[in-house]
Amino acid sequence: MPHGACMLLTQACLESLGIRRNEPMKKHTSFKVGGPADLFARPASLDQLEKILCLAAEYDLPITLMGSGTNLLVKDRGIRGLVISMTALKYPTVITPVEQDKYRVRVGAGTILASLYRETMNHGICGMEFAAGIPGTVGGAVMMNAGTNEGTMSHVVESIDFMLPLKGTVTLDASALHFSHRNLSFNLNFPQKYQPVLVSVTLIMSPNDKIQIQTRWGNLLEKRRKNQPAHGACAGCFFKNPPRGDSAGALIDQAGLKGFRVGDAMVSEKHANFILNAGQATARDILTLKQIIEEKVHNRFGVLLENEVKIEGE
């Protein structure tokens, strides 16, 4: 069993790879809830990541990948197997001119989106303004095709690099990637037990005036601040917007659920598609509130809401 395999690993082996036992996941998610991960790793290099993946393959450990935990809800009993956080996998961003009006930008999966914006803006390179105010890492943003009405990651991704245990690093061009609303999928011919780990992304961006880039970013950031809650632990928009009709937030608002609470889990008074941890909420509180929202919206409007927040654990 995977949990038994976790127990067989020696402390010396785990420490050599920076792996911790029984790590509280509430320390690593913006919701500030969640039970412990059996094993938790934050690799700081490709070499360390490869060794961790090989260890997981050898002991048949299930792997859960995460970025900075800003779009993640972990259940109260935690996560079995190995959780790998990509937040420490950072290396210098490489910016290369491609032609007169294009730049190729290669960036590590663990780089924070806002840091990427600042670096490209300082070089007079635009293309990421749509991501103003979106938290999290570049890798996480690509895997969920993060974006706004102004654009998504699919509009700037040229290729991705990912790692497989015992197979090294593989590159996939955009033509092999299937982006959809808050999702990325791809077809690869490898055993299902080998989970691909996104390690870097190559973007195509354009030159522009620094002041114009900064102004557009600032305007979009201010718009998000006006429309979204500033207080309370949360994970951004909880539900995807339906493909047609009103947004998820508008439907939840029209169902009369702004301010509705289950324990310390609360629907934001400012934006109804935000569920807040208003104090000492548990994952159970949040999931119960989620179910109530889904039922009320479906009963009133016939719409089945779909999670945007990723839910892991047991």
Side-chain angles (χ1 to χ4, degrees):
M1 295 177 63
H3 184 70
C6 293
M7 300 304 294
L8 290 173
L9 290 163
T10 66
Q11 191 62 29
C13 174
L14 297 179
E15 288 180 357
S16 70
L17 294 174
I19 299 174
R20 300 198 290 269
R21 292 187 189 271
N22 298 318
E23 179 73 5
M25 290 305 297
K26 64 182 179 181
K27 293 169 53 177
H28 302 283
T29 66
S30 57
F31 255 135
K32 305 301 182 186
V33 303
D38 288 339
L39 300 172
F40 181 88
R42 188 188 283 118
S45 67
L46 291 179
D47 179 65
Q48 187 180 22
L49 172 62
E50 187 170 23
K51 290 177 180 177
I52 290 169
L53 292 177
C54 289
L55 182 75
E58 179 182 353
Y59 284 86
D60 197 26
L61 297 174
I63 293 174
T64 301
L65 298 172
M66 65 175 292
S68 56
T70 56
N71 192 51
L72 176 65
L73 173 63
V74 177
K75 295 181 180 180
D76 294 318
R77 291 182 59 195
I79 301 177
R80 307 289 69 82
L82 172 65
V83 174
I84 300 177
S85 167
M86 303 298 288
T87 53
L89 193 64
K90 303 173 184 177
Y91 38 86
T93 299
V94 178
I95 300 175
T96 308
V98 180
E99 48 193 61
Q100 186 174 2
D101 61 345
K102 298 291 180 185
Y103 285 88
R104 181 173 285 119
V105 180
R106 187 170 184 270
V107 58
T111 301
I112 298 298
L113 273 176
S115 297
L116 173 62
Y117 157 71
R118 285 191 293 269
E119 185 165 4
T120 53
M121 188 273 293
N122 287 336
H123 284 83
I125 299 174
C126 70
M128 292 296 299
E129 293 77 22
F130 68 84
I134 297 177
T137 61
V138 172
V142 170
M143 290 305 298
M144 69 167 291
N145 193 22
T148 63
N149 292 335
E150 304 289 330
T152 66
M153 294 302 296
S154 64
H155 296 141
V156 292
V157 171
E158 181 186 49
S159 65
I160 62 173
D161 299 315
F162 63 89
M163 182 178 288
L164 289 169
L166 308 176
K167 291 180 178 289
T169 304
V170 180
T171 299
L172 275 185
D173 291 332
S175 60
L177 307 177
H178 308 291
F179 286 102
S180 57
H181 184 64
R182 302 298 175 260
N183 187 59
L184 166 63
S185 60
F186 38 84
N187 297 320
L188 292 175
N189 184 23
F190 62 89
Q192 289 297 311
K193 68 177 182 177
Y194 292 147
Q195 183 173 1
V197 180
L198 180 65
V199 294
S200 64
V201 182
T202 300
L203 310 174
I204 293 293
M205 300 174 69
S206 303
N208 204 341
D209 178 74
K210 291 182 183 180
I211 300 300
Q212 292 185 25
I213 300 171
Q214 192 170 26
T215 298
R216 184 168 181 235
W217 177 277
N219 290 340
L220 291 172
L221 190 60
E222 183 61 26
K223 181 179 177 181
R224 287 176 69 88
R225 287 172 175 165
K226 286 181 178 178
N227 295 328
Q228 297 180 2
H231 305 289
C234 69
C237 288
F238 200 96
F239 298 101
K240 297 179 182 179
N241 287 327
R244 294 174 298 278
D246 289 336
S247 68
L251 294 172
I252 298 166
D253 187 3
Q254 292 166 34
L257 290 171
K258 272 189 174 179
F260 189 87
R261 297 177 71 120
V262 173
D264 273 346
M266 182 180 79
V267 177
S268 169
E269 295 273 13
K270 194 169 188 179
H271 191 311
N273 199 13
F274 282 67
I275 294 178
L276 308 179
N277 176 358
Q280 299 297 318
T282 62
R284 179 185 290 272
D285 293 335
I286 295 168
L287 291 170
T288 301
L289 180 54
K290 164 188 173 295
Q291 183 176 0
I292 292 170
I293 293 169
E294 291 169 341
E295 290 175 354
K296 286 187 176 293
V297 167
H298 183 250
N299 290 340
R300 180 161 177 180
F301 305 106
V303 175
L304 292 171
L305 294 176
E306 183 181 351
N307 299 342
E308 183 168 316
V309 169
K310 188 177 180 182
I311 300 171
E312 296 284 3
E314 58 183 38

